Amino acid sequence: MPDPGLCPACGARNDCTLADPRTVDRPCWCYSVSIDPAVLEALPAELRNTACLCPRCAQVDEQLKQPPPA
C-alpha cells in the first residue's frame, strides 16, 4: 500500500494534512487550488486515488503563491 504522505508520482512529501494525524483537522492545501483533470488522468491507473500529489506534480505551485481571495 502506498504511503499516504508521499506523492504517488514522484515520491516526495505531498504535505497532505489529512495524511498526518497531527493535522487531520485542518484543510489541506489542495482545497484552495484547481488541479487540471488531465494531470490526474496522466497518472497510471494503479496510482490514482492512492495518495495526494505534491504541489509540484499537481502543477499548482503558482496558485499556492497567490494570496487568498479577500
Side-chain angles (χ1 to χ4, degrees), residues 41-59:
E41 291 170 16
L43 284 171
E46 66 273 9
L47 295 180
R48 290 184 206 147
N49 301 312
T50 61
C52 294
L53 293 171
C54 67
R56 185 177 57 83
C57 289
Q59 300 176 10

Side-chain angles (χ1 to χ4, degrees), residues 3-45:
D3 184 329
L6 299 178
C7 175
C10 72
R13 284 190 34 224
N14 59 20
D15 296 327
C16 178
T17 60
L18 304 179
D20 185 340
R22 298 169 297 173
T23 57
V24 71
D25 60 335
R26 297 182 203 154
C28 190
W29 61 263
C30 70
Y31 293 2
S32 65
V33 297
S34 177
I35 300 172
D36 185 343
V39 171
L40 300 174
E41 291 170 16
L43 284 171

